[in-house]
Amino acid sequence: MNAAIIFILLMVLMLTGMPISISLGLTVLTFLFGFTHVPLESVALKLFTGIEKFEIMAIPFFILAGNFLTHGGVARRMISFASSMVGHWYGGLGLAGVLGCALFAAVSGSSPATVVAIGSILLPAMTRAGFPQSFGAGVITTSGALGILIPPSIVMVMYSVATNTSVGALFMAGVVPGLLLAGVLGGVTWYRARKFNYPRLAKATWAERFKAFKASVWGLLLIVIVMGGIYSGMFTPTEAAAMSAVYAFFVAVFVYKDMGLKDVPKVLLNSANMSAMLLYIITNAVLFSFIMTNENIPQALADWMLGHGLGMITFLLACNVILLLAGNFMEPSSIVLIFAPILFPVAMKLGIDPVHFGIIMVVNMEVGMCHPPVGLNLYVASGITKMGITELTVAVWPWLLAMLGFLGVVTYWPAMSTWFPRMLGMM
């Protein structure tokens, strides 16, 4: 009964068009005052202790690093390098877009940032080269979603905060699925380009490839710094985030010089705004998780599922359906922070690995970012291409179907997620 009251309150507030963070906060306060005897002091204490986690500090640093890289010319150099490597294949610039998104994802941690950085440069170039705009939009919208699967990933940090799972293990678990999904999206791009005979670039010489690599190496080094630092134990994921922010600032301002010192305050302010928005969502989601736990709702759900003989396969299928439906109305951070505390205890009782479950949630978020009505990547791509959401939805469907197929594989093949962190001794 209490679970029904909580979710009805949340749905009603969200349907009024209220931001998700405020909807969460008002749901919690209404339920606390109207249906429980929880002292107000414990709520205030939970508000502060909920965001007193070291891992949360990684979020503003990764956002800042992503903003420096987006404005600092790193994306343009990565696209040049990707084009020199795969541009001569069918759909060359489209494949360069997939590779460019995968490379930029490995330094930014954010899907919308990846779509903006790669899309704003590549989409006009693809249109000039003779590609249909819908093809380019489909490639960039879906490939941009790699931003939250290929580490570092802000959404993985959110999952870690919600479930106390190791961020380092999650980052390493995202490497293999991220590369495989990039391969799947690249395969769809190549197949459609070959089918419709889209243009190809002239094959670059090895000298041109080396020149493009040399120009992009400062950006690519950030992947080595973050991943190598975490794997070697030199620093934690949060310290890696701080290092990446400092390094991105240095590269953008002093190495590539695409940004002046006068542009830095604007980047800092944008990053602070985005960080404050996410931290506000986290704070309210922590309260929501507190009220769910206080009412024993996750435990009751776990007992009900186990009592009805629902096994791992059925539970994971149900999780995918719930998360995909949630993706119709909410953005990834909110979905993870609301649903992870509810579904995670059930997953643990069924013996599902917490790292594997985290990757399943992240891949669901990726799919959600590419379909209407709330797909963030669709709106970002719409702003770049000036295409309508309906038109974009039609454009992305071949890649979206491939992503749904990949979701099925990653759900029921745990080794894809857990093999690499196990090999590194992080699990």
Side-chain angles (χ1 to χ4, degrees):
M1 184 62 189
N2 284 347
I5 292 168
I6 291 169
F7 281 103
I8 288 167
L9 275 171
L10 183 61
M11 289 303 295
V12 168
L13 289 169
M14 283 172 58
L15 288 170
T16 63
M18 199 177 283
I20 183 71
S21 53
I22 297 172
S23 300
L24 282 169
L26 281 177
T27 299
V28 171
L29 291 174
T30 307
F31 185 79
L32 280 172
F33 285 119
F35 302 93
T36 71
H37 301 289
V38 176
L40 197 60
E41 292 81 3
S42 66
V43 178
L45 186 67
K46 194 68 189 171
L47 267 174
F48 287 98
T49 57
I51 55 170
E52 268 187 347
K53 294 189 177 177
F54 186 59
E55 293 87 353
I56 290 178
M57 288 175 63
I59 294 168
F61 284 126
F62 278 132
I63 288 170
L64 182 58
N67 278 343
F68 275 129
L69 295 170
T70 305
H71 295 92
V74 174
R76 180 162 41 83
R77 290 169 175 84
M78 283 183 171
I79 290 168
S80 298
F81 173 58
S83 299
S84 70
M85 297 304 292
V86 296
H88 59 285
W89 296 352
Y90 282 103
L93 275 176
L95 288 172
V98 177
L99 183 56
C101 283
L103 291 172
F104 195 80
V107 294
S108 74
S110 163
S111 286
T114 305
V115 175
V116 169
I118 304 297
S120 56
I121 299 161
L122 196 69
L123 287 172
M126 288 181 76
T127 307
R128 283 196 301 273
F131 288 90
Q133 194 179 36
S134 58
F135 178 79
V139 171
I140 299 301
T141 304
T142 49
S143 300
L146 292 166
I148 60 170
L149 181 57
I150 294 178
S153 162
I154 292 169
V155 174
M156 286 182 190
V157 177
M158 298 281 195
Y159 176 83
S160 167
V161 168
T163 62
N164 287 319
T165 307
S166 162
V167 185
L170 282 166
F171 279 6
M172 294 305 162
V175 172
V176 174
L179 293 175
L180 288 175
L181 181 56
V184 168
L185 295 172
V188 174
T189 304
W190 177 86
Y191 171 77
R192 289 185 67 78
R194 188 180 178 201
K195 182 180 177 183
F196 298 109
N197 198 28
Y198 291 149
R200 299 155 74 175
L201 298 176
K203 189 172 183 177
T205 63
W206 281 105
E208 288 168 333
R209 287 173 178 174
F210 180 72
K211 186 182 175 185
F213 172 75
K214 197 174 162 187
S216 66
V217 75
W218 284 96
L220 297 172
L221 264 176
L222 186 54
I223 304 170
V224 179
I225 290 170
V226 173
M227 302 304 290
I230 294 170
Y231 162 58
S232 66
M234 199 178 296
F235 36 70
T236 66
T238 304
E239 290 161 352
M243 282 288 296
S244 69
V246 173
Y247 180 85
F249 161 75
F250 175 77
V251 169
V253 176
F254 298 109
V255 178
Y256 290 150
K257 297 179 182 174
D258 289 322
M259 272 180 67
L261 283 170
K262 67 180 188 300
D263 302 315
V264 173
K266 186 183 174 187
V267 172
L268 289 171
L269 192 61
N270 286 343
S271 303
N273 283 339
M274 203 181 299
S275 300
M277 179 189 74
L278 282 175
L279 288 171
Y280 188 59
I281 294 172
I282 291 170
T283 306
N284 285 297
V286 164
L287 272 184
F288 187 79
S289 173
F290 165 69
I291 203 75
M292 297 293 282
T293 310
N294 193 57
E295 297 299 316
N296 282 325
I297 290 167
Q299 292 82 352
L301 177 66
D303 293 340
W304 181 85
M305 292 192 82
L306 294 170
H308 284 74
L310 295 178
M312 188 189 293
I313 292 172
T314 317
F315 169 72
L316 289 175
L317 180 63
C319 282
N320 284 341
V321 172
I322 291 166
L323 294 169
L324 289 173
L325 288 173
N328 287 311
F329 309 104
M330 291 184 272
E331 46 83 43
S333 304
S334 307
I335 296 172
V336 169
L337 290 165
I338 291 170
F339 286 97
I342 299 168
L343 300 172
F344 186 78
V346 188
M348 294 308 96
K349 280 199 172 184
L350 289 169
I352 297 165
D353 187 276
V355 172
H356 173 225
F357 191 65
I359 299 299
I360 293 170
M361 287 198 79
V362 171
V363 176
N364 271 289
M365 301 305 99
E366 285 193 295
V367 176
M369 295 188 93
C370 302
H371 68 71
V374 184
L376 277 177
N377 286 11
L378 283 179
Y379 285 95
V380 174
S382 175
I384 297 169
T385 60
K386 307 294 183 248
M387 291 168 70
I389 296 298
T390 309
E391 198 180 352
L392 266 172
T393 305
V394 174
V396 302
W397 76 264
W399 292 271
L400 201 54
L401 281 178
M403 288 173 81
L404 283 168
F406 180 81
L407 172 61
V409 175
V410 85
T411 300
Y412 295 110
W413 184 21
M416 187 200 291
S417 309
T418 58
W419 169 76
F420 192 51
R422 277 217 172 96
M423 190 190 78
L424 298 176
M426 301 182 81
M427 285 177 64

